[in-house]
Amino acid sequence: MIYSLQLYTVRGPLEEDLEGTVKRVAELGFTAVEPYNFVANADALATALSKNGLTAPSGHAPLLRANQDEIFQAAQKLGIGTVIDPHVDAAQWTTEADIKETAKALNAAAAKGAEYGIAVGYHNHEFELENRINGRSALEVLAENLDPQVVLEVDTYWAAVGGEEPVALLERLGDRVRFIHIKDGPLTKVDKDQVAVGSGQMPIWDVIEAAKNLEAGVVELDDFNGDIFDAVSDSLAYLKAGK
């Protein structure tokens, strides 16, 4: 299992200086990244990744809201093996019928992705865990209705914020979980409350051990009250130091 960095974490610097930011991420010790909304900058990003010896096992793109062929073509250019839809509106998670529609759309996206040799996944926020369908989380209802080839990227922090015990959730979801977002903080909904991995309330090592079939553990901060590169560097140092 490798550690990757969700580039949304450094979106500000990336938008100002893509090549310099990618170089800095590599210098911090990352060997992999997870790009977001990568269609627009695929060429520049592919060049920067190659120049700095970085791979992109996964990437985020709005598969259910944008041109899928363009997304998969850009993913091929970047060597992305799994394209993950990062967000389906919270209003779509309150009924079983709506969740089944989302599953159907993801299944269709996966069928198209297979034509490009690319897998498809879904990434949660807190509301997919807060919303309950007959006593079970909406995310688990989704998982039950996904074709076997559709994977999950569990954002373990947002799962905890949503009221789920992340270790138990990962154990229930099993091998479908191929990626996790590793983040830390005081378990609030305020993005700026997030802190470097290992500095908050998340049971980081229990979470990692519970995900048995990971391709990558993806470090992410949605925001940070300080120098974001300090938080990124501290996160990787904590993870590399081991339990």
Side-chain angles (χ1 to χ4, degrees):
M1 197 267 290
I2 60 172
Y3 292 117
S4 177
L5 177 68
Q6 167 53 252
L7 288 178
Y8 183 78
T9 304
V10 292
R11 60 195 176 277
L14 194 76
E15 288 165 10
E16 292 178 10
D17 179 9
L18 185 147
E19 189 167 329
T21 300
V22 169
K23 182 172 186 280
R24 189 166 181 187
V25 168
E27 288 172 346
L28 290 176
F30 281 93
T31 59
V33 295
E34 185 175 72
Y36 66 99
N37 286 345
F38 50 79
V39 171
N41 63 2
D43 290 330
L45 191 55
T47 299
L49 295 183
S50 177
K51 189 179 293 186
N52 290 282
L54 291 166
T55 63
S58 57
H60 280 194
L63 279 168
L64 306 190
R65 292 170 282 134
N67 185 302
Q68 292 178 2
D69 289 295
E70 286 184 357
I71 289 170
F72 291 129
Q73 288 161 10
Q76 282 184 324
K77 195 172 291 185
L78 290 162
I80 292 172
T82 303
V83 174
I84 297 163
D85 193 299
H87 183 267
V88 170
D89 190 81
Q92 299 302 114
W93 296 93
T94 60
T95 71
E96 187 170 7
D98 282 345
I99 295 167
K100 285 183 174 180
E101 282 301 308
T102 296
K104 183 178 177 181
L106 286 167
N107 292 340
K112 182 177 282 289
E115 298 172 11
Y116 292 87
I118 293 171
V120 161
Y122 183 73
H123 160 279
N124 65 280
H125 291 83
E126 80 284 354
F127 46 80
E128 298 94 336
L129 289 311
E130 287 176 333
N131 287 327
R132 315 298 290 185
I133 308 295
N134 297 322
R136 301 171 65 240
S137 73
L139 184 65
E140 290 172 89
V141 175
L142 175 77
E144 272 187 357
N145 288 280
L146 292 174
D147 288 343
Q149 70 266 32
V150 183
V151 306
L152 292 176
E153 176 177 65
V154 175
D155 189 309
T156 57
Y157 185 80
W158 287 126
V161 171
E164 282 286 349
E165 204 291 303
V167 171
L169 176 67
L170 289 168
E171 289 172 347
R172 291 198 302 273
L173 291 172
D175 288 347
R176 192 183 288 276
V177 181
R178 298 298 177 86
F179 302 89
I180 59 172
H181 271 191
I182 303 171
K183 62 176 67 166
D184 214 341
L187 304 182
T188 71
K189 292 184 181 181
V190 180
D191 289 351
K192 271 195 177 293
D193 287 349
Q194 293 172 24
V195 297
V197 173
S199 302
Q201 294 182 19
M202 284 292 291
I204 299 298
W205 294 111
D206 291 342
V207 162
I208 291 171
E209 289 171 8
K212 305 293 188 187
N213 201 30
L214 286 186
E215 293 181 39
V218 185
V219 173
E220 182 187 44
L221 289 93
D222 294 289
D223 210 338
F224 180 65
N225 193 18
D227 186 329
I228 190 61
F229 285 106
D230 288 343
V232 169
S233 178
D234 290 347
S235 295
L236 185 60
Y238 174 82
L239 291 168
K240 282 188 166 182
K243 188 173 180 180

